[in-house]
Structures are given as structure tokens and as C-alpha cells.
Amino acid sequence: MNAVEIFCFLSLLLVIGKLVRMALPILQRLYLPSSVIGGVIGLIIISCFGKYLPADMISGMGKLPGFLINVIFAALFLGVVPPKINQIFKMAFPQLCMGQMLAWGQYVIGLGIAGFLLVPLFGVNPAFGNLLEIGFEGGHGTVGGLSETFSAHWSEGKDLGLTVATGGMILGILLGMALINWALNKGIISSVRTFNERDKAEKIGVYDQEKRPAAGRQTVLADSIDSLAWHIAMIGISILLGYIMLKALQFAEVKLLPDCRTRLFTGFPLFPLCMIGGVFLQIIFRKLKADHLIDHGQMQRLSGASLDFLVVAAVATIKLSVVARNWLPLVIMMVLGVLWSIFLLLFVAPRLFKQAWFECAIAEFGQGLGVTATGLMLLRTVDPENKTPAAASFGYKQLIHEPIMGGGLWTAFALTLVFTIGWLPVWIFSTAMLFIWLIATVIICRKNAK
């Protein structure tokens, strides 16, 4: 595997994706990320001219997302001062209810439709139903992080998951903007800055030279260690802690259950444990009163850069032949997943949130279809100056929601469990969890109605 070829090819795709987005207003209006555009261009190149490209380069690109997702999750809570749990619940419990209902509903719909309908009709793998939450809420990074699990149990799962992630991101943006326009026409929201109201620099996606924000703060002097190198090293240590935890769990499982044929942690992904490693490292630095040496702004840039390279590599290496064989089951499942998200936004959210219901709900809608970045983009569109509590509520909710769903611990466990104990127990558990969050939502709605 030639790392130089992979890095140069992905860099070229990202730059071409950005230039194409700057040149075509239709792509600007759709708010499609340059990484997705570059990935689609790469997919076309590999599909048409793949036989002329180095085989190890393409296979290496396919493995890259599985590594980069570890960087993203390791950086998630580094440099963050976590608020108290009771403060989070007080400010963001309705937001958490909607996020949890959306995610658990994706499991109930996905596993249910797969187990009861798609497996008998189309002969798909029972884990097909996991792809709805993995692809929609988790996104390309989560699919990449689960590569080893897919490789061990279901080789086609990764390509199908990447397809769901790509479709979910595009649908999240397109349907999200359509819902925003509907809300604007209905007078539900008023602070929207339409595409035509943006200046030229905003339309093409660049900062005005006079308004360029800082990319983070340096925390250490360069004559001792470069600040960026220091922060990369912090991420590396977080990944190391996650790796040690994974190996410890695998060792304990073998020692405690030597005769068990089913190994839960053998194919368990690393990235959720990297997130825990990052939390541990942050706690250690806080105890040592040295947490000021970690800047979350720099962590966000490292995470964002990793995500862009991850997405362009993931989209470019999708195997279209696998997608073609499963297009109808994919469409059925994705349509039902979209309808669930729309139902929550239009019928549950107005009753769940006391104020700024649409702003709060559109962020969840975006995340539920196209990961957190899409949710934040839609939220900034309807509330560009943070005049509502939606941004704070969404951010606090993430501290509890993110470690569990959308690439968190349950996302990883659920896939492994379906492969080991079957889809039905996981579906029953997901249904029970959805019911619990529905009860909590009904209680909040009744209080709001008084």
C-alpha cells in the first residue's frame, strides 16, 4: 500500500470537490459538502478507470475510514469542560427525548422491516436493519469504524452502510431545506437567511478576509513542542487508552468464558472506546489542573479534517455492484426511516418543545439523517444568531446522546449482538427502549399542554 498515492489522490479529490462546488451554484444551494462531491467524483473515476489505478491504493483508501473514525471520536470530548449531569437534564431533556426516540425508532423500523419483510422477500442479511441507524445517524465514519465487524460477519455490509450514509446526508440536506422553506412560509420561523441573502463569499463557502475566525488557540510554546503536534499526540494517547481497553475486554472474555463460542468483543470496533479514552484523558488532565493545555478548538479542526478525508475516501470506494443488487431493500428501508424523522418533526416536536420547537427539531432531523454536521448546518440556517435556546439545548444533549447512539456504544454493540444472538432480541430491546422514551415524551407534552 502506497501511502503517498492515497494521500495525494484524496487531496486531489477534496480540492476538485471544493472547486466544483464553488463553480456550480446548484451545489451551493444544496449545501453539499465538498467531501461528498469529491467522493462522488472519485467513485466515478474508480468505477470507470479502476483497472488502470493501483489496486493497493484503492484497497488502502477503503481501510482509511476505519482509522480516521478513531481520531474523530478520540477528539470528541478533549478540551471540553463537562457540565454537571443534572444541569444537562434540566436544560436539554426534551431535546434528548427527541434524539433518543429518533435513534431507537431507526432500530425498531430498520430491524423490524428487515427481519419481518426484507429477509424473507429478498434474502438480505438480518443485520441489514442496523444500517438505518448506522448510516443515517452514525454516518460514513461509523460505517468505516465498523469495517472489521462487517469483514468478520458480512462483507457487503460496509458498502451498503456507506450508501445509506451518503443517501442520508443528501436527503437530510434536501428535505431539511424544504422543511425550512415550509416553516418560513407558515411563519413558524423568521430569522432565516436565505441563499439569495448571503454574500458571494458565503455562497461559495469561503470566509471574508476581514472575518476569518481562529482555528483554535495554541497552548504550548513552539520551542518546546508544536501546539498542533501536542494535540495530535493527545488524540494518539486517547486512541491508545481505547486500544488497551479493547484488548483487556477481549482477554477477559476469553479467560472468563473459555468455552463460549460466541465472542462479543472479538469483532467489536475500537472507536467508541477511543471516545472513552479521550474522556479519561480529559479527566486526568483536570485532576492535574493541566486541562488548559488542551484546546477544544484545535481538536475540532483535527476532527473536522479527519472527517473530510474520511468521507471522500468512503464515498469513492463504494462498490456499486453491491448497491445494485440490494437497491430495492435499501430504498424501502430508507423511505421508512425518512418518514419516521418527518413524523417526529411535524407531529411530536410542536408538543414536546415549549419554545423554538422547529429550531430544536430541525437540528435533530438533520442529525438523524445526515449526522451532527448536517443538524448543525440546518440549525444555523434557521437560527444564525443563536437567538433561541436550540443551539445550547442541542449541544448539551449531545454530551449524553453521542456516547450511546449514532456511533456510540449501543451502535457498536447492536451490530455485534445481531451477528451473535440474532436480530429479534435486539429488536425487542430497541422497542422497549423506544417505548420508555415515548412515555417520557408524553409526560413532557402533557406538562406543556397545561
Side-chain angles (χ1 to χ4, degrees):
M1 181 176 65
N2 193 326
V4 174
E5 292 174 349
I6 295 173
F7 178 69
C8 292
F9 185 59
L10 293 179
S11 298
L12 185 63
L13 291 178
L14 276 174
V15 172
I16 292 174
K18 176 61 179 175
L19 294 176
V20 169
R21 190 183 189 278
M22 292 174 67
L24 298 179
I26 182 63
L27 297 179
Q28 299 164 21
R29 287 181 177 273
L30 294 177
Y31 297 95
L32 285 179
S34 300
S35 56
V36 173
I37 299 169
V40 172
I41 294 171
L43 180 61
I44 295 171
I45 293 173
I46 292 175
S47 300
C48 297
F49 308 104
K51 59 183 179 181
Y52 303 110
L53 298 173
D56 59 346
M57 184 188 81
I58 298 174
S59 63
M61 285 172 54
K63 296 176 182 177
L64 190 61
F67 167 72
L68 290 177
I69 189 62
N70 297 326
V71 176
I72 294 167
F73 270 75
L76 200 60
F77 295 114
L78 284 173
V80 174
V81 179
K84 295 180 180 179
I85 295 295
N86 60 349
Q87 183 182 2
I88 296 174
F89 272 96
K90 184 178 180 180
M91 290 191 63
F93 190 64
Q95 195 87 34
L96 182 63
C97 284
M98 183 165 181
Q100 290 286 304
M101 280 196 302
L102 201 157
W104 287 110
Q106 288 177 348
Y107 276 108
V108 173
I109 293 170
L111 288 171
I113 196 70
F116 292 116
L117 180 65
L118 301 181
V119 172
L121 283 182
F122 301 100
V124 301
N125 191 293
F128 194 93
N130 291 68
L131 299 180
L132 188 61
E133 197 270 349
I134 290 172
F136 272 13
E137 182 113 8
H140 298 88
T142 301
V143 178
L146 293 166
S147 295
E148 291 188 12
T149 309
F150 283 126
S151 298
H153 301 282
W154 180 29
S155 59
E156 293 185 343
K158 178 182 174 182
D159 294 292
L160 295 175
L162 292 174
T163 303
V164 175
T166 303
M169 181 177 288
I170 295 172
L171 287 170
I173 295 170
L174 296 180
L175 294 176
M177 295 307 298
L179 288 166
I180 288 172
N181 286 322
W182 169 83
L184 186 62
N185 292 332
K186 290 287 185 178
I188 298 172
I189 53 177
S190 58
S191 299
V192 174
R193 289 188 65 209
T194 63
F195 182 79
N196 292 329
E197 291 174 336
R198 298 169 183 254
D199 57 37
K200 184 178 179 180
E202 287 180 288
K203 289 179 180 178
I204 63 175
V206 298
Y207 284 111
D208 187 280
Q209 293 187 24
E210 305 298 326
K211 301 178 181 178
R212 291 177 178 174
R217 293 183 178 274
Q218 299 187 57
T219 60
V220 292
L221 290 174
D223 60 1
S224 61
I225 183 173
D226 183 82
S227 185
L228 192 60
W230 168 258
H231 285 79
I232 293 173
M234 292 297 103
I235 291 175
I237 293 173
S238 300
I239 295 174
L240 174 62
L241 292 174
Y243 183 77
I244 293 172
M245 282 186 277
L246 179 59
K247 290 302 177 182
L249 289 170
Q250 292 173 347
F251 177 80
E253 186 177 41
V254 172
K255 289 296 182 182
L256 295 174
L257 302 169
D259 299 324
C260 185
R261 294 182 179 181
T262 301
R263 296 294 180 199
L264 184 62
F265 291 104
T266 298
F268 194 79
L270 175 61
F271 67 92
L273 300 176
C274 293
M275 174 182 62
I276 298 176
V279 173
F280 282 165
L281 188 62
Q282 179 68 21
I283 292 172
I284 291 170
F285 268 69
R286 287 196 69 194
K287 294 293 184 182
L288 297 174
K289 297 184 178 179
D291 53 314
H292 61 279
L293 297 177
I294 304 176
D295 178 64
H296 190 60
Q298 290 210 39
M299 290 299 175
Q300 285 181 308
R301 298 287 64 77
L302 290 168
S303 176
S306 298
L307 181 61
D308 278 335
F309 275 94
L310 184 156
V311 171
V312 72
V315 175
T317 53
I318 293 174
K319 294 177 182 176
L320 294 179
S321 59
V322 175
V323 179
R325 288 197 299 270
N326 296 273
W327 71 270
L328 186 54
L330 282 173
V331 170
I332 293 172
M333 185 176 67
M334 290 172 67
V335 167
L336 291 175
V338 168
L339 291 176
W340 171 245
S341 297
I342 293 175
F343 168 76
L344 289 180
L345 186 145
L346 294 181
F347 295 98
V348 177
R351 299 164 177 81
L352 179 61
F353 299 105
K354 268 192 171 182
Q355 54 179 324
W357 72 264
F358 187 85
E359 288 86 346
C360 292
I362 198 65
E364 296 302 329
F365 178 87
Q367 182 182 28
L369 288 179
V371 302
T372 305
T374 303
L376 290 174
M377 185 275 290
L378 295 175
L379 177 56
R380 281 197 295 266
T381 302
V382 297
D383 187 19
E385 299 179 6
N386 290 333
K387 293 182 178 180
T388 73
S393 179
F394 183 75
Y396 276 125
K397 160 253 175 184
Q398 290 294 90
L399 296 175
I400 297 178
H401 181 83
E402 197 78 11
I404 304 170
M405 312 300 287
L409 291 171
W410 173 249
T411 303
F413 267 118
L415 183 62
T416 307
L417 289 171
V418 169
F419 287 133
T420 52
I421 66 174
W423 69 271
L424 189 57
V426 181
W427 180 78
I428 292 172
F429 178 78
S430 299
T431 303
M433 291 301 300
L434 176 60
F435 184 70
I436 291 171
W437 286 104
L438 280 171
I439 292 175
T441 301
V442 169
I443 293 172
I444 296 174
C445 292
R446 287 184 175 179
K447 286 183 178 180
N448 292 342
K450 292 181 180 178

